[in-house]
Amino acid sequence: MRDDEDRPRTVTAHEIGQRLDALSVEDLAARIVLLRQEIERLEEARQAKVAALGAADAFFKR
């Protein structure tokens, strides 16, 4: 067993455009999960803003 296998892994945020060749298969899978969660969060924020803009538009058109 290698010494680095005993150390806990630290999950770092993904940086757009970063080199991927040093990441393990497990690290890549973790990044994919992280990015999918972030996409979902962004889509929810976008939907909330669209709804707010629609409500404001409807209010001020009266």
Side-chain angles (χ1 to χ4, degrees):
M1 185 182 276
R2 295 181 357 212
D3 290 337
D4 60 344
E5 291 177 355
D6 292 337
R7 283 187 244 149
R9 289 183 179 243
T10 57
V11 177
T12 58
H14 184 75
E15 190 174 317
I16 302 298
Q18 82 178 87
R19 294 186 58 171
L20 303 175
D21 54 345
L23 297 175
S24 68
V25 172
E26 292 83 13
D27 289 338
L28 290 169
R31 300 291 172 99
I32 290 169
V33 169
L34 177 73
L35 290 169
R36 284 186 176 146
Q37 290 171 343
E38 183 65 5
I39 289 168
E40 184 176 317
R41 188 177 77 90
L42 289 166
E43 287 175 341
E44 288 171 359
R46 181 180 173 276
Q47 289 171 357
K49 286 191 180 261
V50 167
L53 287 172
D57 192 41
F59 178 78
F60 287 109
K61 282 190 176 182
R62 291 183 182 193

